[in-house]
Amino acid sequence: SRPLLIRGRRHITLATTCARNHSCSRRQQRCKQDALEVELVSGPVIASCENKMPPAQKKTWIALSAGGVGGAIECCCTWPMEYLKTQLQSFRTVKGGPPPPFTGIASGLRYTIQQKGFFSLYTGLTPVLIFSAPKAGVRFGANQFFRNKLADKTTGKVSMGRSFLAGLCAGICEATLVVTPQETIKTKLINLNMGMGKGIPHLLKTEGVAGLYAGLGATCLKQGGNQGSRFLFMAQWRQFLTGEADAKLPKHLTFVGGLGAGLFSVA
């Protein structure tokens, strides 16, 4: 191979090609490898950092719709237990009188189905179902709305404190739009011994819309604290399992998280 003449500032060095000069060859190979690693690793990382977009926010209307459907399903699943609980609470044991027809959940289910049929367990479901679907829809929809507003603009993540704040605001919205009128109507209709068809027009005529919002402040505090605690627990549950507070979980893990959130909110 031809010799390579390299001119320096103070002297002239005659050198062979890099193929004969092993030390030079190794240095060049290392330099090429380093350059290649920088190009392959650093380049895409820098580009991704420069072009990284904030994660897409979840849509509020989807959370609202899913919450409404979930609330209706929840009400249908739990109403037989609510019906039996009300029946047990209404029994009055009179000394020397006949014993109550049942004293527990199992005996209550057996007695009611045998005497009145299975669907009698759903007596009184309709008025509660009318309010349960919008109540859960408002709860989940409002929570998603406030999470979107409180999320970090660059990462899209919501801190622990902001998760609680979003749930708190969702509970206040739920209390204002659904829970307070629902509880007021239920209590006053029971006292008046009237159905919804006649009772609600009577209340609006005698007390006006403001009469439906008796106890609004206390209900907002109660629902705000409950929902803030529940949504905080679920966010931390997802964070613990996946590293992301808004990650989608399998159905069984979501069920377990919901149980834990319910217990946490009443503890």
Side-chain angles (χ1 to χ4, degrees), residues 131-184:
F131 286 102
S132 291
K135 179 173 71 172
V138 169
R139 179 195 310 160
F140 285 95
N143 178 70
Q144 191 59 59
F145 173 81
F146 288 111
R147 284 185 70 86
N148 290 342
K149 294 297 183 182
L150 296 172
D152 186 271
K153 300 301 182 183
T154 56
T155 63
K157 295 182 178 181
V158 183
S159 65
M160 183 184 298
R162 293 186 176 187
S163 292
F164 179 81
L165 181 58
L168 176 69
C169 294
I172 293 174
C173 291
E174 177 188 13
T176 304
L177 298 176
V178 183
V179 177
T180 302
Q182 174 192 8
E183 292 300 318
T184 303

Side-chain angles (χ1 to χ4, degrees), residues 83-85 87-88 91 99-109 111-112:
Y83 171 80
L84 292 176
K85 183 194 75 172
Q87 293 293 313
L88 288 170
F91 290 151
F102 56 88
T103 56
I105 298 297
S107 60
L109 285 171
Y111 174 84
T112 304

Side-chain angles (χ1 to χ4, degrees), residues 30-48:
R30 284 197 298 269
C31 289
K32 289 180 180 179
Q33 290 176 352
D34 292 341
L36 183 61
E37 290 176 359
V38 169
E39 182 179 358
L40 292 178
V41 178
S42 300
V45 171
I46 295 173
S48 64

Side-chain angles (χ1 to χ4, degrees), residues 14-147:
L14 183 63
T16 59
T17 60
C18 293
R20 293 184 179 180
N21 192 332
H22 298 290
S23 62
C24 179
S25 177
R26 285 193 296 269
R27 283 198 302 270
Q28 286 185 340
Q29 288 178 357
R30 284 197 298 269
C31 289
K32 289 180 180 179
Q33 290 176 352
D34 292 341
L36 183 61
E37 290 176 359
V38 169
E39 182 179 358
L40 292 178
V41 178
S42 300
V45 171
I46 295 173
S48 64
C49 292
E50 292 176 350
N51 300 325
K52 186 176 181 180
M53 300 294 291
Q57 294 181 336
K58 294 183 179 180
K59 296 181 179 179
T60 301
W61 70 268
I62 295 179
L64 191 150
S65 302
V69 174
I73 294 173
E74 175 194 10
C75 185
C76 292
C77 291
T78 60
W79 185 253
M81 299 299 104
E82 185 69 24
Y83 171 80
L84 292 176
K85 183 194 75 172
T86 305
Q87 293 293 313
L88 288 170
Q89 291 173 341
S90 64
F91 290 151
R92 295 181 179 179
T93 304
V94 180
K95 188 175 182 180
F102 56 88
T103 56
I105 298 297
S107 60
L109 285 171
R110 185 168 56 252
Y111 174 84
T112 304
I113 293 174
Q114 289 176 351
Q115 297 295 322
K116 304 177 182 179
F118 174 79
F119 289 103
S120 63
L121 293 171
Y122 289 91
T123 302
L125 171 65
T126 303
V128 179
L129 185 60
I130 290 173
F131 286 102
S132 291
K135 179 173 71 172
V138 169
R139 179 195 310 160
F140 285 95
N143 178 70
Q144 191 59 59
F145 173 81
F146 288 111
R147 284 185 70 86

